[in-house]
């Protein structure tokens, strides 16, 4: 092969003897997407922190019309989902199909061009949201032209990854490939359908609200969940091509594939919908719990073995935390959908707490573990400070833990006081404010950890190459973390 190769051990320090060869024609677009992902993560966290400040101090930057709470909240959410979440997911997808490729990536230039326009479209959409061009959507709250640009550029990038996944045939034997293929094929179909229905005059009012929840739930459980689980399964499979998936793993995949979109109907409780639709959503939510339990049983022992084999280095810790957050978030979401519980916590911060645990605790953590490995593998240099790496890890852990706890406690108090009709609404807000302040401080801790990690990454990219590489650095870190 004429192209330079990046030789490495599969999941460095994990004890896997089989080396991988990732051509630089794959690595360049992968690293570009990851750098863009971390940039959008910082932008999203900045908006989220500003929004938390406005909850506590409503007059904060009150004279700036383009920084109102509603606009920055939606901008933060969209930038996180599409900038951080999808950039990172596509980077991982290209890495997965390219790590054992026998030839260079012939479409590297086209992929990079589409990735550049994808991120430019996100920036244009973010500015459009901030100036007030906002449709009545949440997870797909882009203006029409931005939604079309995103779909077009995603399809151009997606073509290369899906083509290689199908041609290789690995999706028939490895769950990591199967989960990724589901996510990659779901998004263009879902966003295209939503775009068509948005312009169909028949779909309006209550029916359009159900379509929005259908897309929202699918984005969580048919994009973020499959991509995150694909990373976990790729880690435990250790780059082996042999069939290593169990019945429980495939059962979990099937349940998530069949039930995820139907589970959206559980959010429609109390809305003017037939009871059988809401009941179908609750039943689907319970089946998702069964799917999560099946995946948990399948992954738990295999993850523990891999972590022990890798001597508990930093990215292994990220994977373990992400795994437990996934189980707690899915099971918690299913339990609060049960009518006896839902009548108390529906529309409270409890629902937001489990959403935050899923997207920050599960998806972000597993994506950070994968990104840490790829950055280290690409630059082939030791990190500047092991201490600061540990600080970023533990700041992330404590930040998401306190954020989840504060939102849960605030949501429970909010639910209890809203049941008391004698209490004025202003008193309910005052009771919840201390917990929102705590949640804001927790978000600040997470933002600090991300800034520190990006600073270390920048310093590592500027440092001269050292002969000892990164293996010694990972070994030292595993002893001290």
């Amino acid at each position: 092969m004429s192209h330079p190769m990046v030789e490495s051990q599969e999941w460095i320090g994990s004890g896997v003897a089989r080396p991988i060869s990732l051509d630089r024609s794959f690595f360049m677009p992968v690293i570009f997407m990851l750098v863009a992902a971390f940039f959008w993560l910082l932008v999203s966290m900045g908006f989220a922190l500003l929004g938390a400040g406005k909850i506590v101090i409503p007059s904060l930057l009150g004279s700036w019309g383009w920084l109102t709470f509603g606009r920055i909240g939606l901008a933060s959410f969209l930038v996180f989902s599409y900038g951080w979440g999808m950039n990172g997911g596509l980077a991982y997808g290209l890495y997965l199909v390219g790590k054992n490729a026998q030839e260079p990536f012939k479409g590297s230039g086209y992929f990079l061009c589409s990735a550049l326009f994808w991120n430019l479209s996100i920036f244009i959409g973010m500015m459009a949201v901030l100036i007030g061009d906002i449709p009545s959507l949440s997870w797909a709250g882009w203006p029409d032209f931005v939604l079309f640009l995103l779909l077009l550029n995603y399809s151009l990038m997606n073509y290369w990854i899906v083509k290689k996944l199908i041609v290789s045939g690995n999706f028939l034997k490895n769950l990591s490939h199967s989960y990724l293929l589901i996510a990659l094929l779901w998004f263009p179909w879902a966003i295209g359908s939503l775009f068509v229905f948005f312009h169909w005059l028949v779909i309006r009012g209550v029916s359009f609200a159900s379509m929005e929840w259908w897309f929202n739930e699918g984005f969580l459980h048919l994009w973020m969940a499959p991509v995150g689980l694909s990373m976990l399964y790729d880690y435990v499979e250790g780059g082996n091509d042999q069939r290593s998936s169990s019945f429980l793993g495939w059962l979990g995949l099937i349940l998530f594939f069949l039930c995820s979109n139907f589970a959206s109907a559980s959010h429609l409780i109390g809305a003017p919908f037939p009871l059988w639709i809401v009941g179908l959503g609750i039943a689907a939510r319970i089946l998702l719990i069964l799917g999560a339990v099946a995946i948990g049983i399948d992954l738990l022992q295999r993850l523990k073995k891999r972590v022990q084999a890798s001597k508990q280095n930093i990215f292994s810790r990220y994977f373990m935390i992400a795994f437990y957050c996934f189980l707690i978030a899915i099971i918690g979401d299913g339990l609060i959908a049960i009518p006896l519980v839902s009548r108390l916590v529906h529309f409270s911060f409890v629902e937001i707490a489990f959403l935050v645990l899923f997207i920050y605790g599960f998806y972000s953590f597993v994506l950070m573990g994968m990104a840490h490995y790829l950055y280290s593998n690409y630059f082939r240099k030791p990190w500047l400070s092991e201490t600061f790496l540990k600080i970023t890890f533990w700041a992330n852990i404590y930040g998401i833990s306190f954020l989840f706890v504060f939102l849960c406690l605030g949501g429970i108090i909010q639910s209890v006081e809203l049941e008391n009709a004698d209490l004025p609404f202003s008193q309910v807000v005052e009771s919840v404010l201390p917990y929102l302040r705590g949640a804001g401080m927790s978000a600040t801790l997470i933002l600090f950890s991300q800034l520190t990690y990006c600073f270390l990454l920048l310093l590592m990219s500027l440092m001269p190459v050292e002969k000892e590489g990164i293996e010694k650095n990972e070994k030292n870190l595993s002893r001290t973390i």
Side-chain angles (χ1 to χ4, degrees):
M1 189 178 298
S2 60
H3 287 65
M5 306 292 289
V6 177
E7 300 289 344
S8 67
Q9 290 292 95
E10 178 67 20
W11 298 114
I12 295 173
S14 61
V16 179
R18 179 180 178 179
I20 64 167
S21 296
L22 189 62
D23 191 274
R24 290 194 185 277
S25 61
F26 284 95
F27 240 129
M28 291 306 295
V30 167
I31 294 301
F32 172 80
M33 295 291 282
L34 285 178
V35 170
F38 272 93
F39 168 78
W40 290 119
L41 176 62
L42 294 179
V43 173
S44 171
M45 292 300 300
F47 280 135
L49 186 60
L50 180 59
K54 282 180 171 289
I55 291 178
V56 180
I57 309 174
S59 61
L60 181 64
L61 299 179
S63 60
W64 296 33
W66 58 283
L67 290 179
T68 58
F69 179 80
R71 296 181 185 182
I72 62 174
L74 180 59
S76 173
F77 200 64
L78 292 175
V79 163
F80 179 90
S81 302
Y82 292 80
W84 162 247
M86 298 196 70
N87 268 319
L90 290 169
Y92 162 74
L94 188 59
Y95 154 75
L96 186 64
V97 300
K99 65 180 181 179
N100 292 319
Q102 301 301 315
E103 59 182 5
F105 183 24
K106 297 179 180 179
S108 179
Y110 296 104
F111 190 96
L112 272 172
C113 185
S114 300
L116 179 63
F117 281 103
W118 164 269
N119 286 280
L120 181 61
S121 300
I122 292 176
F123 175 77
I124 295 172
M126 179 187 72
M127 299 307 297
V129 168
L130 291 177
I131 64 175
D133 190 0
I134 305 174
S136 56
L137 295 169
S138 52
W139 290 72
W142 304 104
D144 285 355
F145 73 97
V146 174
L147 204 60
F148 175 76
L149 289 174
L150 290 173
L151 178 59
L152 175 63
N153 289 293
Y154 176 89
S155 300
L156 293 174
M157 292 185 290
N158 194 41
Y159 165 76
W160 299 100
I161 304 176
V162 171
K163 178 183 176 181
K164 291 183 178 296
L165 277 174
I166 294 177
V167 170
S168 69
N170 287 330
F171 69 94
L172 296 175
K173 57 183 179 181
N174 288 336
L175 277 169
S176 56
H177 292 72
S178 301
Y179 273 112
L180 180 64
L181 186 62
I182 287 176
L184 294 177
L185 293 179
W186 174 85
F187 181 77
W189 167 71
I191 201 73
S193 301
L194 195 68
F195 186 81
V196 171
F197 285 129
F198 186 72
H199 293 279
W200 189 15
L201 295 179
V202 176
I203 307 296
R204 285 294 180 269
V206 174
S207 57
F208 189 76
S210 64
M211 283 294 301
E212 181 185 5
W213 275 114
W214 169 83
F215 177 81
N216 296 352
E217 202 69 30
F219 193 91
L220 278 176
H221 296 144
L222 289 176
W223 167 260
M224 287 188 171
V227 172
L229 290 172
S230 176
M231 296 180 197
L232 290 177
Y233 271 105
D234 182 56
Y235 176 60
V236 299
E237 287 167 0
N240 299 319
D241 288 334
Q242 68 267 22
R243 188 183 301 272
S244 57
S245 305
S246 70
F247 167 77
L248 289 176
W250 288 103
L251 175 63
L253 182 146
I254 293 172
L255 288 175
F256 265 79
F257 177 73
L258 294 178
C259 301
S260 292
N261 281 128
F262 289 110
S264 61
S266 65
H267 292 282
L268 303 176
I269 188 168
F273 282 92
L275 288 178
W276 68 267
I277 293 180
V278 179
L280 177 65
I282 297 172
R285 187 75 68 180
I286 301 301
L287 289 176
L288 284 181
I289 294 180
L290 297 180
V293 171
I295 293 170
I297 296 173
D298 183 43
L299 274 177
L300 182 59
Q301 294 303 321
R302 300 165 71 185
L303 265 176
K304 287 183 176 180
K305 290 179 181 179
R306 298 292 292 168
V307 170
Q308 292 173 358
S310 61
K311 300 178 182 179
Q312 296 195 1
N313 52 33
I314 191 169
F315 59 82
S316 300
R317 290 290 189 91
Y318 274 117
F319 289 141
M320 285 301 300
I321 296 298
F323 169 73
Y324 288 119
C325 287
F326 168 77
L327 291 180
I328 295 172
I330 296 298
I331 294 174
D333 251 347
L335 293 178
I336 65 176
I338 298 174
L340 290 176
V341 182
S342 179
R343 65 184 297 269
L344 296 176
V345 300
H346 198 40
F347 299 122
S348 73
F349 288 113
V350 174
E351 290 184 328
I352 299 176
F354 283 103
L355 174 63
V356 166
L357 186 66
F358 186 89
I359 62 177
Y360 280 103
F362 164 58
Y363 187 77
S364 288
F365 268 60
V366 73
L367 187 52
M368 286 174 191
M370 185 273 299
H372 178 81
Y373 159 70
L374 289 178
Y375 280 138
S376 302
N377 195 12
Y378 177 74
F379 289 110
R380 304 295 294 170
K381 303 172 186 177
W383 292 83
L384 182 65
S385 171
E386 298 173 7
T387 301
F388 277 112
L389 270 183
K390 290 189 292 182
I391 289 174
T392 62
F393 174 78
W394 290 111
N396 264 316
I397 295 293
Y398 285 115
I400 188 62
S401 300
F402 285 124
L403 182 59
F404 176 72
V405 170
F406 279 125
L407 287 175
C408 279
L409 293 177
I412 293 173
I413 292 176
Q414 180 187 30
S415 302
V416 171
E417 293 194 351
L418 284 175
E419 287 291 313
N420 188 351
D422 297 329
L423 285 178
F425 186 75
S426 58
Q427 184 174 337
V428 177
V429 174
E430 291 177 359
S431 300
V432 175
L433 271 179
Y435 300 95
L436 296 182
R437 293 190 182 99
M441 294 175 63
S442 304
T444 305
L445 187 60
I446 297 175
L447 178 60
F448 164 77
S449 71
Q450 303 306 328
L451 287 171
T452 305
Y453 186 87
C454 290
F455 178 70
L456 291 174
L457 180 62
L458 177 63
L459 291 180
M460 184 177 70
S461 65
L462 298 176
M463 287 171 55
V465 179
E466 297 185 13
K467 293 183 179 179
E468 58 268 21
I470 60 172
E471 286 85 353
K472 181 179 178 181
N473 181 66
E474 288 285 352
K475 185 177 180 180
N476 292 338
L477 180 61
S478 67
R479 290 199 304 262
T480 57
I481 192 168

